Amino acid sequence: MRRYAATLTIILISTVVAMAVLGARSEQGAPPPLGYFGTVFIQGQPASEGLLLVGCVDGCTTGWEGNEELREAVRTHADGSYSALIVGPPNDSFFGKDITFWITNEAGRIQAGEVVPYQLAPNLTRTLNLTFDEPLPILPTPTPTSPPTVTPTPTSTPILPIPGDSGVPLLGRVAVIAGIVALVLGGAIFIVSRRRRAF
């Protein structure tokens, strides 16, 4: 069933292309466009679904500005195949010039190894498998911004003893001893001063 559908698609596209060619050639003298079918391989593997495939005549190497009429684009299928990639230049001056094939995305583009000249043939549809040796371009990951450095606030040395300190129980004893010494000295000074007054 799939082969029947593919064959029917090729026949229909060939008919449409042939009719367009006859009409265009009689009115404008434009050469016939060519239709390409095949499979896309990226680094030896069939391409994933939905990649944008572009065909260009005498362009696409330094930029596509001004060459929009020389390129068409299709999407790859789930099995890596593509179909109905129509490539057609606007006039006869493009005969013999190279057709190049590209995969493009928002990060950039890569070129297929296959380059074919634009030439007329009895069959306006051609099978062409495309191979891409380079990996797909990817957008660079943004570098994470480092959080602002916070200067630690210096902590003041506590005046009170820290709970759990082994010196805490000794403080009470030291205070009692200091109090006793102060009383004894005070009493001794008082007695000495009274005796001096008595003389």
Side-chain angles (χ1 to χ4, degrees), residues 9-22:
T9 302
I10 291 172
I11 291 171
L12 286 174
I13 290 175
S14 296
T15 305
V16 169
V17 168
M19 289 173 65
V21 167
L22 292 175

Side-chain angles (χ1 to χ4, degrees), residues 2 9 41 43 52 63 82 99 124 127 154 177 180 197 199:
R2 186 179 172 102
T9 302
F41 296 93
Q43 294 188 312
L52 190 66
Y82 73 97
I99 302 173
L124 297 178
T127 300
I177 293 171
I180 293 172
R197 282 186 189 171
F199 288 116

Side-chain angles (χ1 to χ4, degrees), residues 1 6-7 14 18 24-25 29 43 65-66 70 72 81 93 97 110 117-118 140 144 156 164 166 173 194 196-197:
M1 182 68 181
T7 305
S14 296
R25 231 171 144 66
Q43 294 188 312
E65 299 79 10
L70 307 184
E72 298 291 340
S81 64
S93 68
K97 294 188 176 180
I110 54 174
Y118 179 79
S156 58
S166 59
R173 292 181 188 165
R194 294 273 313 227
R196 280 189 182 170
R197 282 186 189 171

Side-chain angles (χ1 to χ4, degrees), residues 131-157:
T131 55
F132 295 82
D133 295 331
E134 298 178 56
L136 279 174
I138 57 173
L139 289 172
T141 55
T143 54
T145 56
S146 57
T149 55
V150 178
T151 306
T153 306
T155 56
S156 58
T157 307

Side-chain angles (χ1 to χ4, degrees), residues 6-7 16 22 30 34 48 61 66 68 76 78 85 90 102-103 110 123 125 141 154 156-157 159 172 176 178 190:
T7 305
V16 169
L22 292 175
L34 304 176
S48 57
T61 52
E68 286 79 5
T76 53
L85 177 59
W102 304 76
I103 284 180
I110 54 174
N123 186 5
T125 58
T141 55
S156 58
T157 307
I159 299 172
V176 170
F190 180 72

Side-chain angles (χ1 to χ4, degrees), residues 17-83:
V17 168
M19 289 173 65
V21 167
L22 292 175
R25 231 171 144 66
S26 61
E27 292 176 13
Q28 303 170 357
L34 304 176
Y36 288 92
F37 299 81
T39 303
V40 174
F41 296 93
I42 300 176
Q43 294 188 312
Q45 300 298 319
S48 57
E49 185 176 10
L51 297 179
L52 190 66
L53 180 65
V54 177
C56 301
V57 182
D58 192 32
C60 299
T61 52
T62 59
W64 294 345
E65 299 79 10
N67 288 331
E68 286 79 5
E69 74 279 3
L70 307 184
R71 61 186 172 94
E72 298 291 340
V74 295
R75 298 275 179 183
T76 53
H77 303 303
D79 59 354
S81 64
Y82 73 97
S83 56

